[in-house]
Amino acid sequence: SIFASRGPPVHIVALVEDPQRLAMMRLSRVAAPVVALVLSAPGGCEAVTLRVNPIRKVVNLLQQMQKKVTEEGEAEAELYAKFECYCKHGAKNLTDSIAAAEEKIEALGAETKASVERKAKLEEELKQHKADREAATKA
């Protein structure tokens, strides 16, 4: 026979090696008639309530948790990448702005000193002009 020379068919070996696949095949054999019965019943799905396997509930919860954790991990990785970029470029930008501010402080200090000297000179000239005007009005 065909099976005697080559062993069992590949799909049977795959079912034995994959218990989840085997369980799904068994479930589909049971679920198909139940779904047909539910849909043919008056009132549709509301007429019959199906009990969910508690193991399936746990598996579904674990799958949902895995999906949620994966999404959170991706979001956290994205935020970390942004933070890392900020740290690399932010420090350079901050250093550059500090250096520019220090140069500006020195320039403003020199400008302030020049303005103070100019004010003193103008005040001295003003006193001299007032004295000249008083002398001119007395004469």
Side-chain angles (χ1 to χ4, degrees):
S1 112
I2 298 173
F3 296 114
S5 63
R6 295 188 315 179
V10 176
H11 66 277
I12 293 175
V13 172
L15 285 177
V16 172
E17 291 176 355
D18 189 6
Q20 185 178 8
R21 192 171 185 192
L22 181 61
M24 291 302 291
M25 291 292 289
R26 287 181 182 162
L27 181 64
S28 66
R29 287 185 197 157
V30 173
V34 171
V35 169
L37 178 67
V38 168
L39 293 177
S40 65
C45 294
E46 298 170 1
V48 178
T49 56
L50 297 175
R51 294 186 62 201
V52 178
N53 185 353
I55 295 173
R56 174 57 31 206
K57 282 184 179 180
V58 172
V59 169
N60 287 341
L61 285 172
L62 289 173
Q63 288 173 341
Q64 290 172 356
M65 284 175 53
Q66 180 183 12
K67 182 180 176 184
K68 184 177 178 181
V69 167
T70 303
E71 290 172 354
E72 288 175 354
E74 290 171 357
E76 188 172 324
E78 183 180 332
L79 287 174
Y80 181 77
K82 288 181 182 179
F83 176 71
E84 187 176 23
C85 180
Y86 169 75
C87 288
K88 286 180 182 177
H89 301 292
K92 184 179 182 299
N93 291 342
L94 186 60
T95 304
D96 292 345
S97 67
I98 288 172
E102 287 175 351
E103 289 175 11
K104 191 173 182 179
I105 288 172
E106 290 175 14
L108 289 175
E111 186 179 320
T112 303
K113 186 176 180 182
S115 295
V116 168
E117 290 173 359
R118 184 169 180 233
K119 179 185 173 201
K121 180 183 172 189
L122 290 174
E123 286 177 346
E124 189 63 37
E125 288 179 5
L126 182 63
K127 285 182 185 177
Q128 182 62 35
H129 291 304
K130 284 184 181 178
D132 289 344
R133 189 180 77 193
E134 283 183 31
T137 53
K138 288 185 181 177

